[in-house]
Amino acid sequence: MAGVTDDGKPILYYNEFSGPSRKVLMALYEKRVDFKPRHVQIFDGEQFNDWFLALNPRGEVPVLQDGDNIVVESTQIVDYIDSKYGHPYLLMPKDNPKVKEYISLFDGIPLFAITYGVFAFHAEQTTDVLRYPYCQEALRINSKHMIIHKPVLLREEAQKHRGKPAEAALRQKARDLESIREIFLENDKIHGILYNLEVILDKVEAELDSDDRLGPWLCGTTFSGADVTLISILMRLYQLGLDQRYWKGGVRPHLAVYQELAFRRPSVVKATKWKDYEGKFLVIARDTNGSANGNSESSGMTRSESVDAAKVGLGAVLLLGGIYACKKMMNK
């Protein structure tokens, strides 16, 4: 049931595989907030329970409950956390407008459509590997079924909550999902979205490569809300195997270094737990008809290979970090 802890700790209702939830978790860990995590089983429909819909009528995570304050939407939650817990530094500094500009840009990325469009419907035409949790064939099948039938489910749930705020919210959510159905069903639609993402990441690459940039993070020397938002997106792209398309192999070298550095940050490791699943992936093999044949879930690299890969990644960070430092010194 919903409520507040006896010791007054804020409660975060989240799901471990939700990108917005991870974004908020990163912010909480960065701000060293003592909070109570409450995992919501969204794949079992717990978000449609009366107690949760009273918190968020749309039935979505994350939700932060801090006493009588209930905050929904990940960016609003990060802003709230930053305002209440200023130490040790601000994630949303008012003297750096770039932070909110980038957050607004990143929040406009249709990550839900990208996620399910790639792994549930068009994996064979968009990626060569799916990483945990998207490497699970059962999840892939269930997700495709869920996307197709979810508008009906949402209307059924809305009917159960007639006269309450959840009714209108869930009906609107059903309409929203129906409006983007073509993205999942038509191959050219998802490819168009993936191309548009190229444009945004080109802007990020240019920012990371700018001569007047100070520090390793997107908007300067201090880790910010823009980094939290970008990293949550990069994590999802990594899980979908789209890192090869967007930043690996010299495609966007500065973004590649940024990703290596960001994924090793303690708050990121703790919020995403990506290291726990590093060896779980599914290789997508394409047959002559262009359809996907997923190999069985692999344990991935051997331990020695993983260590070697980690060394290469860290070496790249140190090497390019040195180049970055020299570049800044030469421009002084």
Side-chain angles (χ1 to χ4, degrees):
M1 293 180 61
V4 294
T5 59
D6 293 337
D7 53 8
K9 293 180 183 178
I11 304 172
L12 178 69
Y13 301 92
Y14 78 107
N15 182 272
E16 63 178 321
F17 300 126
S18 158
S21 291
R22 289 170 164 176
K23 173 179 169 180
V24 172
L25 283 168
M26 277 185 254
L28 287 166
Y29 293 140
E30 283 289 332
K31 305 295 282 189
R32 303 171 190 170
V33 178
D34 188 11
F35 71 100
K36 178 183 178 181
R38 168 62 163 86
H39 194 264
V40 180
Q41 300 290 352
I42 59 176
F43 294 108
D44 295 334
E46 189 179 8
Q47 71 273 29
F48 297 125
N49 288 349
D50 289 345
W51 69 265
F52 189 80
L53 289 174
L55 295 172
N56 185 356
R58 285 181 64 86
E60 297 174 346
V61 292
V63 175
L64 184 74
Q65 184 175 20
D66 185 17
D68 294 331
N69 297 318
I70 297 173
V71 192
V72 300
E73 302 290 345
S74 60
T75 295
Q76 293 181 28
I77 296 174
V78 172
D79 206 2
Y80 177 87
I81 293 168
D82 205 42
S83 298
K84 182 167 182 178
Y85 305 96
H87 63 282
Y89 58 88
L90 291 176
L91 291 170
M92 305 284 204
K94 292 182 173 57
D95 60 349
N96 191 343
K98 276 187 178 182
V99 172
K100 289 200 172 182
E101 288 173 9
Y102 270 112
I103 291 174
S104 178
L105 177 66
F106 298 149
D107 282 349
I109 295 173
L111 203 58
F112 177 84
I114 290 173
T115 300
Y116 290 94
V118 169
F119 106 94
F121 289 87
H122 303 289
E124 69 280 0
Q125 296 163 321
T126 54
T127 187
D128 293 316
V129 62
L130 292 171
R131 299 185 178 96
Y132 190 87
Y134 304 111
C135 59
Q136 302 173 92
E137 187 63 20
L139 179 62
R140 190 179 182 193
I141 294 171
N142 291 339
S143 294
K144 181 180 286 190
H145 183 271
M146 179 270 292
I147 290 295
I148 293 173
H149 298 285
K150 192 168 185 178
V152 174
L153 169 63
L154 289 169
R155 289 192 175 94
E156 290 175 352
E157 291 294 337
Q159 188 68 18
K160 296 176 186 176
H161 296 85
R162 293 195 59 165
K164 298 179 181 179
E167 180 186 7
L170 294 175
R171 291 190 187 280
Q172 182 59 53
K173 191 172 178 179
R175 290 191 291 270
D176 292 343
L177 188 55
E178 285 177 331
S179 71
I180 62 172
R181 179 175 287 177
E182 289 183 350
I183 294 173
F184 304 110
L185 302 180
E186 299 180 20
N187 183 51
D188 61 331
K189 299 291 185 182
I190 188 65
H191 276 286
I193 289 179
L194 294 177
Y195 174 78
N196 291 338
L197 184 54
E198 300 265 10
V199 177
I200 293 175
L201 294 181
D202 280 343
K203 179 179 175 66
V204 172
E205 178 72 7
E207 181 71 44
L208 295 173
D209 188 35
S210 62
D211 288 337
D212 60 349
R213 175 170 161 257
L214 298 174
W217 303 112
L218 184 59
C219 297
T221 56
T222 305
F223 192 79
S224 74
D227 296 296
V228 166
T229 309
L230 176 58
I231 293 166
S232 67
I233 293 168
L234 295 182
M235 182 60 66
R236 179 57 52 83
L237 297 176
Y238 165 80
Q239 292 173 321
L240 294 171
L242 295 176
D243 49 329
Q244 291 294 331
R245 170 173 179 162
Y246 288 123
W247 65 82
K248 290 290 180 68
V251 177
R252 293 180 179 86
H254 294 86
L255 183 59
V257 173
Y258 174 93
Q259 178 264 314
E260 288 280 356
L261 184 64
F263 277 26
R264 285 170 170 75
R265 193 170 178 90
S267 64
V268 176
V269 173
K270 189 174 182 180
T272 64
K273 300 181 180 178
W274 70 271
K275 286 191 174 183
D276 295 347
Y277 309 110
E278 195 172 7
K280 294 186 177 181
F281 60 84
L282 183 75
V283 175
I284 303 297
R286 306 183 191 189
D287 63 23
T288 55
N289 295 320
S291 60
N293 293 311
N295 295 340
S296 59
E297 186 177 329
S298 173
S299 61
M301 297 179 287
T302 65
R303 179 171 179 82
S304 61
E305 289 172 333
S306 297
V307 171
D308 289 342
K311 288 179 179 178
V312 170
L314 183 58
V317 170
L318 295 174
L319 175 61
L320 291 181
I323 294 174
Y324 165 81
C326 292
K327 179 179 175 182
K328 297 302 177 185
M329 291 177 64
M330 292 174 65
N331 280 293
K332 285 184 175 181

